[in-house]
Amino acid sequence: MTDPAPAGIRPHRRKRLWAACVALLAAGAVGCGSTNDTAAGSATPAPRPTVTVSVTATVTETAEPEPAPTVTKTRTVRKPGPTVTVTRRASGTTGTSGSSGGVSSGGGTCSITSNAGNCYAAGQFCRNSDHGATTTTAGGTRIRCSYSGSAWRWTYA
Protein backbone atom coordinates (compact mmCIF):
# COMPACT_ATOMS: atom_id res chain seq x y z
CA MET A 1 0.00 0.00 0.00
CA THR A 2 1.39 3.37 -0.95
CA ASP A 3 0.90 6.63 0.83
CA PRO A 4 -1.02 9.29 -0.98
CA ALA A 5 1.23 12.09 -2.27
CA PRO A 6 1.33 15.31 -0.29
CA ALA A 7 -0.61 18.17 -1.74
CA GLY A 8 2.35 20.00 -3.34
CA ILE A 9 4.55 17.07 -4.56
CA ARG A 10 3.77 14.74 -7.47
CA PRO A 11 4.57 10.97 -7.15
CA HIS A 12 7.24 10.92 -9.86
CA ARG A 13 9.08 13.85 -8.20
CA ARG A 14 9.34 11.89 -4.91
CA LYS A 15 11.08 9.01 -6.70
CA ARG A 16 13.58 11.39 -8.28
CA LEU A 17 14.30 12.93 -4.87
CA TRP A 18 15.02 9.48 -3.36
CA ALA A 19 17.29 8.57 -6.27
CA ALA A 20 19.26 11.82 -5.89
CA CYS A 21 19.73 11.25 -2.14
CA VAL A 22 20.96 7.68 -2.65
CA ALA A 23 23.41 8.85 -5.36
CA LEU A 24 24.85 11.56 -3.08
CA LEU A 25 25.24 9.09 -0.23
CA ALA A 26 27.07 6.61 -2.46
CA ALA A 27 29.39 9.30 -3.84
CA GLY A 28 30.24 10.43 -0.32
CA ALA A 29 31.00 6.89 0.82
CA VAL A 30 33.32 6.27 -2.16
CA GLY A 31 35.15 9.58 -1.62
CA CYS A 32 35.69 8.99 2.10
CA GLY A 33 36.83 5.39 1.78
CA SER A 34 40.15 6.10 0.05
CA THR A 35 42.11 8.21 2.55
CA ASN A 36 45.87 7.81 2.69
CA ASP A 37 48.19 9.23 5.41
CA THR A 38 51.34 8.97 3.30
CA ALA A 39 52.37 11.49 0.68
CA ALA A 40 51.48 10.60 -2.91
CA GLY A 41 54.17 8.42 -4.46
CA SER A 42 56.37 7.97 -1.34
CA ALA A 43 56.56 4.84 0.77
CA THR A 44 57.74 6.48 4.04
CA PRO A 45 55.44 8.51 6.26
CA ALA A 46 56.13 12.20 6.83
CA PRO A 47 58.28 12.98 9.90
CA ARG A 48 56.41 14.05 13.02
CA PRO A 49 57.59 16.74 15.42
CA THR A 50 59.17 15.62 18.72
CA VAL A 51 57.88 17.14 21.94
CA THR A 52 60.37 17.70 24.80
CA VAL A 53 59.15 18.71 28.26
CA SER A 54 61.47 20.11 30.95
CA VAL A 55 60.24 20.41 34.53
CA THR A 56 62.06 22.32 37.28
CA ALA A 57 60.75 22.22 40.86
CA THR A 58 61.83 24.60 43.63
CA VAL A 59 60.98 23.95 47.27
CA THR A 60 61.22 26.71 49.87
CA GLU A 61 60.84 25.93 53.57
CA THR A 62 60.19 28.70 56.07
CA ALA A 63 60.98 28.15 59.73
CA GLU A 64 58.52 29.52 62.28
CA PRO A 65 59.44 30.20 65.92
CA GLU A 66 57.88 28.03 68.59
CA PRO A 67 55.02 29.65 70.54
CA ALA A 68 55.91 31.17 73.89
CA PRO A 69 54.59 29.54 77.06
CA THR A 70 51.32 30.88 78.50
CA VAL A 71 50.90 31.71 82.20
CA THR A 72 47.35 31.59 83.60
CA LYS A 73 46.39 33.36 86.82
CA THR A 74 42.96 33.05 88.43
CA ARG A 75 41.68 35.68 90.82
CA THR A 76 38.49 35.53 92.83
CA VAL A 77 36.16 38.53 92.96
CA ARG A 78 34.85 39.23 96.49
CA LYS A 79 31.54 40.67 95.26
CA PRO A 80 28.91 38.44 93.68
CA GLY A 81 30.00 37.34 90.25
CA PRO A 82 32.06 34.75 88.43
CA THR A 83 35.76 33.96 88.62
CA VAL A 84 37.74 35.99 86.06
CA THR A 85 40.74 34.34 84.39
CA VAL A 86 43.53 36.60 83.09
CA THR A 87 46.07 35.18 80.65
CA ARG A 88 49.48 36.79 80.26
CA ARG A 89 51.59 35.98 77.21
CA ALA A 90 55.36 35.88 77.29
CA SER A 91 55.59 39.00 75.08
CA GLY A 92 53.93 41.07 77.82
CA THR A 93 50.45 41.49 76.33
CA THR A 94 47.41 40.65 78.43
CA GLY A 95 43.89 39.59 77.67
CA THR A 96 41.11 37.30 78.84
CA SER A 97 41.10 33.72 77.77
CA GLY A 98 39.62 33.50 74.31
CA SER A 99 40.38 37.08 73.32
CA SER A 100 43.00 38.19 70.85
CA GLY A 101 45.26 40.53 72.80
CA GLY A 102 44.46 43.32 75.17
CA VAL A 103 47.12 45.96 74.72
CA SER A 104 45.47 49.32 74.34
CA SER A 105 46.69 52.07 72.09
CA GLY A 106 46.69 54.59 74.96
CA GLY A 107 49.63 53.04 76.79
CA GLY A 108 47.62 51.27 79.58
CA THR A 109 46.54 47.69 79.51
CA CYS A 110 43.05 46.36 80.01
CA SER A 111 42.71 42.92 81.57
CA ILE A 112 39.11 42.43 80.36
CA THR A 113 38.31 43.05 76.70
CA SER A 114 35.10 42.90 74.67
CA ASN A 115 34.33 40.00 72.35
CA ALA A 116 35.89 42.09 69.55
CA GLY A 117 39.12 42.47 71.56
CA ASN A 118 38.67 46.15 72.47
CA CYS A 119 39.07 47.74 75.92
CA TYR A 120 35.86 48.81 77.65
CA ALA A 121 35.02 52.44 78.50
CA ALA A 122 32.94 53.84 81.36
CA GLY A 123 29.20 53.84 80.57
CA GLN A 124 29.22 50.73 78.36
CA PHE A 125 27.10 47.71 79.26
CA CYS A 126 28.82 44.76 81.01
CA ARG A 127 28.57 41.14 79.97
CA ASN A 128 26.99 38.75 82.48
CA SER A 129 30.37 37.11 83.00
CA ASP A 130 31.94 40.49 84.01
CA HIS A 131 29.52 41.44 86.83
CA GLY A 132 31.57 42.79 89.75
CA ALA A 133 34.91 42.68 87.89
CA THR A 134 37.42 45.54 87.69
CA THR A 135 39.61 46.47 84.71
CA THR A 136 41.13 49.56 83.11
CA THR A 137 40.12 51.64 80.10
CA ALA A 138 42.36 52.18 77.08
CA GLY A 139 43.75 55.27 78.82
CA GLY A 140 44.57 53.36 82.03
CA THR A 141 41.65 54.58 84.21
CA ARG A 142 40.20 51.89 86.53
CA ILE A 143 36.56 50.94 85.90
CA ARG A 144 34.26 48.43 87.61
CA CYS A 145 31.23 46.51 86.35
CA SER A 146 28.46 47.50 88.76
CA TYR A 147 24.67 47.58 88.85
CA SER A 148 23.57 51.14 88.08
CA GLY A 149 20.15 52.41 86.95
CA SER A 150 18.52 49.00 86.25
CA ALA A 151 21.49 47.73 84.20
CA TRP A 152 25.04 46.47 84.69
CA ARG A 153 27.45 49.11 83.36
CA TRP A 154 31.15 49.94 83.52
CA THR A 155 31.59 52.83 86.00
CA TYR A 156 34.68 54.62 87.31
CA ALA A 157 36.09 52.77 90.31
Side-chain angles (χ1 to χ4, degrees), residues 135-154:
T135 187
T136 57
T137 63
T141 308
R142 293 184 56 80
I143 56 174
R144 174 176 289 132
C145 179
S146 60
Y147 190 76
S148 171
S150 73
W152 285 88
R153 294 180 177 267
W154 290 104

Side-chain angles (χ1 to χ4, degrees), residues 99-102 110 113-119:
S99 69
S100 59
C110 48
T113 57
S114 67
N115 291 341
N118 302 321
C119 293

Side-chain angles (χ1 to χ4, degrees), residues 1 3 5-6 10 12 15 20 37 39 49 60 64 73 78-79 85 111 113 124 132 143-144 148:
M1 204 164 143
D3 292 334
R10 296 186 187 122
H12 66 279
K15 290 179 185 177
D37 288 340
T60 304
E64 295 182 17
K73 175 184 163 188
R78 302 271 178 202
K79 295 185 180 185
T85 302
S111 59
T113 57
Q124 290 182 325
I143 56 174
R144 174 176 289 132
S148 171

Side-chain angles (χ1 to χ4, degrees), residues 75 84-89 92-105 108-121 124-131 133-139 143 145 154:
R75 67 181 178 123
V84 178
T85 302
V86 178
T87 304
R88 297 191 185 272
R89 291 184 180 85
T93 61
T94 61
T96 60
S97 60
S99 69
S100 59
V103 175
S104 64
S105 60
T109 58
C110 48
S111 59
I112 300 175
T113 57
S114 67
N115 291 341
N118 302 321
C119 293
Y120 282 108
Q124 290 182 325
F125 290 106
C126 303
R127 294 182 291 208
N128 290 338
S129 61
D130 294 334
H131 291 177
T134 303
T135 187
T136 57
T137 63
I143 56 174
C145 179
W154 290 104

Side-chain angles (χ1 to χ4, degrees), residues 31-89:
C32 292
S34 63
T35 58
N36 201 355
D37 288 340
T38 61
S42 69
T44 60
R48 296 187 179 201
T50 303
V51 178
T52 304
V53 178
S54 298
V55 177
T56 304
T58 304
V59 177
T60 304
E61 186 174 331
T62 305
E64 295 182 17
E66 294 183 18
T70 303
V71 179
T72 303
K73 175 184 163 188
T74 304
R75 67 181 178 123
T76 306
V77 179
R78 302 271 178 202
K79 295 185 180 185
T83 302
V84 178
T85 302
V86 178
T87 304
R88 297 191 185 272
R89 291 184 180 85

